[in-house]
Amino acid sequence: MIRWAYAFLDRPADRFETAAEFWTQATETTLSPRRGENGEFATFQPATGDAFLKLQAVGGPGGGHLDFAVTDVRAFITSALDAGAAMTADHGDWAVLRSPAGHFFCAVPWHEEQTRPAPVTGPSGVRVRADQMCVDALPDGFETEYAFWAAVTGWESQAATLPEFSRVVPPPSLPVRILVQRLGSAADRPAMHLDLACSDVPAAVAWHVSLGAVVLDVRPKWTVMRDPAGGVYCLTSRIP
């Protein structure tokens, strides 16, 4: 039923332009004209292929969310509710829902998006692809959240190499997959953030730092970053 997926970067409204400037450079895209009642939405347009990354101005600290473009919005909504979603706002031809862990996602009409953009090439030839949304779950809700995303998407479930992660992987033609992460404690705040696959993580980190990002944490297989608008994301050692 899902024909395309969009990853949204949700950033504070007063930092919208800062986020737009950073992410257009980091993804080698151009920004569409702003739209929405308050100009709160914009799309990152790639040089080739169909867009899949968008920016939204929000109140609060922001984070991320997913939009699923489907052929039958009403049928998808019914399926999502049956899988455990909660309705937040039903606009008829599209809707905002929440996962069991409280993460927002949207059901929207498919507009024949079908071509996945190529990875971008940064300085030193590093190849980078924004391709994954990491979904946090509290320790006692991890299995429920993982099962929910597998059910609502119908995508393939895959265990990761580390026990605190599990993946939900779409067909190769779709641009965004889902990684469900078990948080360390109930005190952590569940959120969604973007992950980027990198051919060389240190080179990608250096590139993003030159654009204004800050390193928050370095792990063996990924580095946690903060963009100039305050949003957290990760650069990971996966094949772009």
Side-chain angles (χ1 to χ4, degrees), residues 47-137:
T48 61
D50 292 311
F52 69 95
L53 187 63
K54 296 187 178 184
L55 180 62
Q56 180 176 2
V58 298
H65 75 270
L66 288 161
D67 275 14
F68 297 111
V70 298
T71 50
D72 188 332
V73 170
R74 303 315 303 180
F76 180 80
I77 290 171
T78 298
S79 177
L81 294 174
D82 289 344
M87 178 64 71
T88 296
D90 191 338
H91 299 278
D93 59 347
W94 68 282
V96 183
L97 302 103
R98 284 184 297 169
S99 74
H103 297 296
F104 292 107
F105 66 100
C106 296
V108 300
W110 178 53
H111 295 296
E112 300 188 359
E113 305 96 327
Q114 58 185 342
T115 304
R116 189 182 185 196
V120 301
T121 302
S124 304
V126 61
R127 288 163 57 81
V128 178
R129 182 194 292 274
D131 70 339
Q132 182 170 272
M133 287 296 281
C134 184
V135 178
D136 294 339

Side-chain angles (χ1 to χ4, degrees), residues 165-214:
F165 297 106
S166 290
R167 291 186 293 264
V168 183
V169 181
S173 59
L174 296 185
V176 183
R177 68 181 191 171
I178 299 170
L179 181 70
V180 183
Q181 174 178 239
R182 181 189 287 110
L183 295 175
S185 74
D188 296 325
R189 184 180 71 88
M192 268 196 196
H193 69 261
L194 186 69
D195 288 346
L196 295 84
C198 308
S199 62
D200 182 331
V201 171
V205 169
W207 178 27
H208 282 218
V209 168
S210 75
L211 298 176
V214 175

